[in-house]
Amino acid sequence: MTLLAIKYTEFKPCPSLSATFTAKKKKENQCSTKNMSTSPLTSVSDSRYFQPNFLEKVKIKVHLTGLRYKNTVLEKCILASKKNRRISLLKTRATKREQHCNIEHLKDRNQQNWVHFVGVGGCGLSALALIAVKQGFEVSGSDIQWSSFMDGLQQAGVRLHIGHSTLNIQSENGSRFPNCIVVSSAISEDNAEVLHAKSIGIPVYKRDYWLAKLTENHTLIAVSGTHGKSTTSALLAYVLKAMGDDLMAVVGASMPQFPGGNVIWGDGPHFVLEADEYDGCFLGLSPYIAVVTNVEWEHVDFFQDEEAVKTFFRRFLKRIRVGGHLIICGDEGTDSVGARSLLDYTSEGSKPEHASGTMSVTSSDVDGYNIITYGISSTNEWHASSICPNSKGGTDYVLYHKGQPLANISLQIPGAHNVLNSLAVIATVTVLLQGRRQVHELINSLKLHLLDFIGLSRRFERIGKIHGCDIYDDYAHHPTEVYFVLQAARQRFPSMRLVVVFQPHTYSRLAVLKDDFAVALSHADHVVVTAVYSVREAGPRNVCGKDLATSIISSTSEYIPSLDDVVDKLALEICKDPLREIVILTLGAGDVNTVGPKLLHELQKRLCIA
C-alpha cells in the first residue's frame, strides 16, 4: 500500500503542575479547575511535594552576571532550600536528635551545591540531571533499575544508585545532605528517599516545577500532543541547530544526531522542550510557542476520559505568553485526533474563518496569542499535497502556504504522521526566524536539514538485517501509534510479510483500549502478543495479553508471554526459510526492544554468520 492510498478517516481510535507564584495565576487555575470533573485529576495543580506558601513568602534575588540563563533555576531553588532547611531544622531538632542531621554547613555558599534526582533513569529526569551537571552542580540520582539514559549520566560524573534508600541522600559519614531533591512523576509519595528528605527538611520538587524554573528565562517552544511530540521536538531542535541556532533542547527520546543523547546544550535564548501532559507536567510552563500535534485519550491511569485530556490541554493553551503563538494541527479525523477541537475553546465566541482556501484562526485579546494551523487539508495555513514514498524509504510531498506551493520536501523518515510532524516544524521555524530571513530563504534551508534527519531511537529504528529478514523496533504503545507505524512499515516494505511482536504497556491501558489495539494490529500479517509490561500499577488485573491476542480477527495471532520464548519461536521459523522476505517489528514502551537484538544475534549464530 502506498502512502497515497491511506485514508485518514478509515481508522478511528478510541476515544502536577507546580504551585503558582502570583495571585493572577492562582485565580486562573482555580477557574480552570471548576470546569473539571470531581476526580483525583483536579488536585494536579498542587504539587504533592512542594509547599507553595513557602516560595510565595520568600523573595529570592539571583545575580545572573556571566551566566545569563544557566543557573537561574538551581540558584533559586538552592537559596530557597537553604532557608527552608534552616527553618525546618530549628523546628525538628528536638525530635530528631537520633538522626544526627547536622546540615548547618549548608550556610556555606562557597560549597558546591548538591541536587539529587529520584527516578533519574527516565528520559525526562535524566535530561534535567545532565543539565544540572553542565551548570556546575554536584548531581546524584537513583532508580529501581539501570536504563540506557544512565550511561550518559555515569560518563558525566553523576553518582548513581540502583534502588531507593535513605543512604542515597547523605554523604558517607552522614554529615551532608542534598540541597534539594527533584522527583519524577512516576515516583510515589511513600518513596523512602522522598519521605526521609521531607522529614529532615530537604525541599522536594516535582519535575514540573523544576522545568518551569529552568525554562522561564528562555524563549520556550513547548511541543505537546498525545502522539508525535518526541519526533517533532527532536526534528525542530535538529533543524534549528543545523541552521546555526545556539539553543537548549530536551527531548523525550534518545536522538542519535544529538551528542548529548536527548539534550542540546546552548547559550542562546531558544529552548525546545517536549512538553508532557502526564501528571499535568506541562501546566507549569509559560511557552512563547506551543505546538499541539494531536489530542487523544492516553495515560488512562491518570486521565479518566478523553474530555479530561482536553481539559488539561485547554489549560495548557492558557499558559501561552501574551504575543506568543499556538501552532496546531487543524485537520479533522485520524491524523489530527482531536487537536482541532481545542480551537473552539481558545477564546469565547471565536470561530474559525475561511478565506482564500485557507483556515485563518485569530485569537481574541483575552487569549493574547496567534494561531497557526497545519495539516493535510488545504484549509490549513501550512499543508502538504502530492504525498508519496521516495527512494530513501521516506516520504516526499509538496509544501503549500496559504494555498500557494512553496517547495518540494523530502524526508528520510516514513509515514503520514511524520509528514504532519515536519509541517509543525516548518511552521514553528518560520515563526521564530522569519524576522531574520525571507520565507523562501528559510524554506530552502529547511529542505536540506529536514532531509538529513534520520529519526529517534525506538521510532521505526532499524535493528539489523540478515538474509531476507529486516528487524525494526518502535515505541508505539497506543492504538493510534500502532496504526501509523504499521502504515509506515507497509510504505517502506510494501510486498514483504509483516510480523509484529506487541508488548502491551500497563494493564489499565490494555483494559480500556483492547478493542482498538485489535483493530490497529490487524494491519499486520501475523501478531505475537506478549505478557503485559507494567512496573507502576498495583491492584486487580482483569485483562492480559492473551485477551488481546484472541481479539485480533483480521490477522493470525498468538500469545507468547515470555520475550525469550518469542525470540526462540521467531528464530526457529525464520531459519526454516532464511531467504524469505519478512519484516519483524517489535512494538511497545517496555523492554520488548530487547527482542530485536537478541533475535538478530540468535539468527547469526544459527545461520553461522559472523
Side-chain angles (χ1 to χ4, degrees):
M1 179 186 293
T2 65
L3 189 60
L4 283 173
I6 298 174
K7 295 182 179 179
Y8 297 93
T9 58
E10 286 181 351
F11 176 74
K12 296 182 179 179
C14 213
S16 111
L17 163 71
S18 308
T20 50
F21 302 105
T22 66
K24 182 178 178 180
K25 292 182 181 178
K26 186 178 294 184
K27 181 178 179 181
E28 172 189 298
N29 284 345
Q30 290 171 349
C31 293
S32 299
T33 304
K34 289 180 181 179
N35 296 324
M36 298 176 61
S37 58
T38 55
S39 72
L41 301 181
T42 59
S43 65
V44 74
S45 59
D46 293 323
S47 174
R48 289 184 302 204
Y49 309 112
F50 177 63
Q51 303 88 21
N53 293 333
F54 174 70
L55 275 189
E56 289 175 359
K57 295 177 181 179
V58 178
K59 295 181 179 179
I60 306 170
K61 296 182 180 180
V62 181
H63 186 57
L64 298 176
T65 302
L67 293 180
R68 296 179 66 197
Y69 310 106
K70 298 297 183 201
N71 291 336
T72 304
V73 58
L74 288 174
E75 288 183 2
K76 287 183 177 182
C77 293
I78 295 303
L79 291 177
S81 71
K82 290 179 179 179
K83 183 171 182 178
N84 188 31
R85 195 171 315 163
R86 290 196 296 271
I87 294 173
S88 177
L89 182 66
L90 292 174
K91 291 181 178 180
T92 61
R93 181 175 292 168
T95 59
K96 300 199 179 290
R97 291 184 186 277
E98 69 278 6
Q99 295 179 345
H100 304 291
C101 297
N102 179 18
I103 54 178
E104 288 299 312
H105 67 278
L106 292 175
K107 294 179 180 179
D108 181 7
R109 299 196 177 189
N110 294 322
Q111 188 170 9
Q112 186 181 31
N113 289 304
W114 172 12
V115 185
H116 181 75
F117 292 85
V118 184
V120 76
C123 58
L125 224 61
S126 63
L128 299 185
L130 185 59
I131 289 175
V133 171
K134 291 182 177 294
Q135 289 175 314
F137 293 87
E138 179 184 349
V139 179
S140 63
S142 62
D143 215 319
I144 57 174
Q145 62 185 15
W146 194 270
S147 75
S148 59
F149 291 103
M150 297 170 75
D151 295 337
L153 293 177
Q154 188 176 53
Q155 294 173 6
V158 176
R159 190 167 62 256
L160 299 170
H161 307 275
I162 300 302
H164 298 298
S165 167
T166 58
L167 298 177
N168 297 341
I169 57 171
Q170 63 184 41
S171 60
E172 291 184 1
N173 59 8
S175 62
R176 184 169 175 248
F177 302 87
N179 296 80
C180 63
I181 287 177
V182 183
V183 182
S184 164
S185 298
I187 299 300
S188 63
E189 295 183 65
D190 59 356
N191 177 273
E193 295 171 27
V194 170
L195 291 176
H196 186 59
K198 294 172 72 175
S199 73
I200 61 176
I202 300 175
V204 180
Y205 302 107
K206 289 184 67 177
R207 179 170 62 107
D208 58 350
Y209 171 77
W210 199 259
L211 278 171
K213 304 307 292 181
L214 179 65
T215 59
E216 67 179 356
N217 289 314
H218 288 78
T219 300
L220 176 62
I221 304 99
V223 181
S224 68
T226 307
H227 320 293
K229 54 183 173 288
S230 294
T231 298
T232 303
S233 55
L235 180 55
L236 175 60
Y238 174 79
V239 166
L240 287 173
K241 185 69 174 178
M243 294 175 71
D245 193 331
D246 192 20
L247 76 159
M248 293 268 285
V250 173
V251 178
S254 180
M255 163 62 173
Q257 290 168 292
F258 287 3
N262 65 331
V263 175
I264 292 180
W265 175 262
D267 290 313
H270 295 154
F271 198 125
V272 173
L273 175 68
E274 178 178 335
D276 187 9
E277 75 274 16
Y278 183 74
D279 203 20
C281 188
F282 62 0
L283 295 180
L285 304 173
S286 296
Y288 171 66
I289 296 177
V291 178
V292 181
T293 59
N294 42 61
V295 178
E296 191 176 8
W297 192 16
E298 165 66 312
H299 302 302
V300 300
D301 58 330
F302 182 77
F303 297 109
Q304 64 181 9
D305 53 28
E306 186 169 329
E307 190 55 38
V309 180
K310 290 182 179 181
T311 297
F312 269 65
F313 273 91
R314 290 170 194 139
R315 293 175 64 190
F316 172 62
L317 299 190
K318 293 181 181 294
R319 304 289 303 176
I320 300 174
R321 299 176 187 177
V322 174
H325 304 269
L326 167 62
I327 297 174
I328 188 169
C329 183
D331 287 342
E332 292 183 290
T334 301
D335 42 356
S336 63
V337 279
R340 189 179 183 278
S341 65
L342 298 179
L343 296 179
D344 298 332
Y345 295 86
T346 53
S347 59
E348 186 176 352
S350 174
K351 295 183 179 180
E353 301 173 357
H354 294 265
S356 303
T358 64
M359 182 168 65
S360 175
V361 185
T362 56
S363 61
S364 69
D365 293 335
V366 177
D367 294 323
Y369 57 79
N370 302 306
I371 299 175
I372 299 168
T373 63
Y374 68 90
I376 304 299
S377 170
S378 60
T379 59
N380 293 290
E381 181 172 341
W382 295 92
H383 82 273
S385 181
S386 304
I387 302 171
C388 62
N390 61 32
S391 59
K392 294 181 178 293
T395 310
D396 290 344
Y397 65 90
V398 179
L399 174 68
Y400 282 76
H401 182 239
K402 294 183 177 180
Q404 299 299 315
L406 282 186
N408 295 317
I409 304 295
S410 291
L411 305 173
Q412 287 193 56
I413 49 180
H417 58 301
N418 282 320
V419 170
L420 290 169
N421 294 337
S422 67
L423 287 172
V425 169
I426 292 169
T428 304
V429 171
T430 53
V431 166
L432 275 177
L433 303 181
Q434 64 183 353
R436 307 178 202 176
R437 307 185 193 181
Q438 295 296 321
V439 172
H440 285 283
E441 181 187 352
L442 277 175
I443 298 302
N444 288 333
S445 180
L446 271 166
K447 284 176 55 176
L448 299 174
H449 304 308
L450 288 171
L451 179 59
D452 289 339
F453 182 72
I454 64 174
L456 294 170
S457 297
R458 301 221 60 206
R459 301 304 189 276
F460 204 70
E461 180 182 9
R462 187 175 186 269
I463 304 302
K465 178 180 175 66
I466 180 168
H467 291 314
C469 178
D470 286 272
I471 304 174
Y472 281 78
D473 176 62
D474 196 276
Y475 192 70
H477 57 285
H478 183 279
T480 300
E481 296 166 350
V482 170
Y483 169 78
F484 276 119
V485 74
L486 292 188
Q487 294 298 330
R490 290 297 191 192
Q491 174 190 326
R492 182 165 288 189
F493 304 103
S495 61
M496 295 175 66
R497 176 174 169 81
L498 178 57
V499 175
V500 169
V501 179
F502 179 65
Q503 182 186 52
H505 187 256
T506 74
Y507 291 93
S508 58
R509 182 184 284 111
L510 179 59
V512 171
L513 303 175
K514 177 174 66 68
D515 292 342
D516 297 292
F517 276 122
V519 173
L521 289 166
S522 67
H523 292 274
D525 294 307
H526 183 73
V527 181
V528 177
V529 181
T530 74
V532 176
Y533 181 89
S534 185
V535 296
R536 69 188 185 200
E537 288 182 320
R541 299 173 177 180
N542 55 0
V543 69
C544 68
K546 186 176 182 179
D547 298 322
L548 173 58
T550 57
S551 299
I552 300 171
I553 299 174
S554 301
S555 304
T556 60
S557 62
E558 58 184 318
Y559 175 60
I560 306 178
S562 166
L563 296 184
D564 288 336
D565 290 343
V566 171
V567 172
D568 291 338
K569 176 73 177 295
L570 291 176
L572 180 63
E573 291 296 321
I574 293 170
C575 286
K576 291 178 181 179
D577 187 4
L579 297 181
R580 182 186 184 185
E581 291 191 332
I582 184 174
V583 177
I584 305 296
L585 177 58
T586 58
L587 301 178
D591 57 355
V592 69
N593 63 313
T594 61
V595 169
K598 288 180 179 179
L599 176 61
L600 183 63
H601 176 74
E602 189 65 23
L603 290 173
Q604 290 170 340
K605 184 174 65 175
R606 296 189 186 192
L607 297 173
C608 300
I609 297 176

